[in-house]
Amino acid sequence: MNEDMKECMFYDIDGDSVRCRLCPHGCRIGEGQSGLCRSRKNIGGKLYSLVYGHPCAIADDPIEKKPLAEWHPGTRCLSIACTGCNLRCPNCQNSMISQASHGEQGCYDCSPDDIVALAKDHRLPTIAYTYTEPLTWFEYLYATATKAHEAGINNVLVSAGFVDEEPLRMLAPFLDAANIDLKSFSDDTYRHFNHARLAPVLRTLLILKEMGVHLEITMLLIPGINTDAGMQQKMFRWMKENGLADCPLHITRFFPAYKMMDACPTPLDEMRKAEMMAKAEGIKHVYLGNV
Ligand code: SF4
């Protein structure tokens, strides 16, 4: 076993297997097997995070790239990512790392203290956990975020929000801002297109709001997947009815990627229609992205 591996939080022994309790997939993982996110493995009856301390990407980004439009504009952040994702979106822009197993991509050796020191050395006021699904490398995210807060550095989570309630509530006090994808407002689409479910994502939005994290939402508009006006109306109404009318909403344009290279970019009139619908339904801060 690699000595760098970190035993996971949030799992139970289940006979010869382990049951991960980090996300709603609840993977039952046999000896020597990894969970669906590929970053958590049963070794000798214990669940280990394979990627702890091994980010595959480290970059200096403008905060607007996350995207965050209404939180510390004009500042920059240290973006980090490890391999791993618990969704299977065929349009993923970062599939090279999100859908890779640990070891398939080059990675760094960086403890949480190293990441905090890097942010300080480069005078970056914020660390962003981003590019893949940070919640699947929860132990590294949590350790880094707590140390960052001790050092007076902000933490930003960029995520699809498909996580169980207990880990999210544990992490939220250390988050300053989050951008969460709301990929559609259809459980069927979440199940078949993203290999996830809608309800846990909605719960994540409400918990982050309740716990005082600055929240922005991203909806990537994909022709034929989430361009239905009725579905969009339900989404915007849900936001308003749940106190999220003031939450900045980023409607971003799809471009062909990963398994959807043959699809067309979102027509601009679809973008404008969604923007008009959101505003008509009372969403106050709507931003169009990638246009
Ligand atoms: S975090 Fe990974 S291993 Fe755990 S339940 Fe989710 S997909 Fe499975």
Side-chain angles (χ1 to χ4, degrees), residues 71-89:
W71 185 85
H72 297 207
T75 63
R76 301 191 71 87
C77 59
L78 182 73
S79 291
I80 64 166
C82 299
T83 54
C85 186
N86 52 350
L87 276 68
R88 291 287 180 270
C89 312

Side-chain angles (χ1 to χ4, degrees), residues 20-23 25-27 29 35-37 40 86 136:
C20 180
R21 290 189 289 105
L22 181 56
C23 92
H25 286 309
C27 298
I29 308 170
L36 187 135
C37 60
R40 307 167 82 75
N86 52 350
T136 65

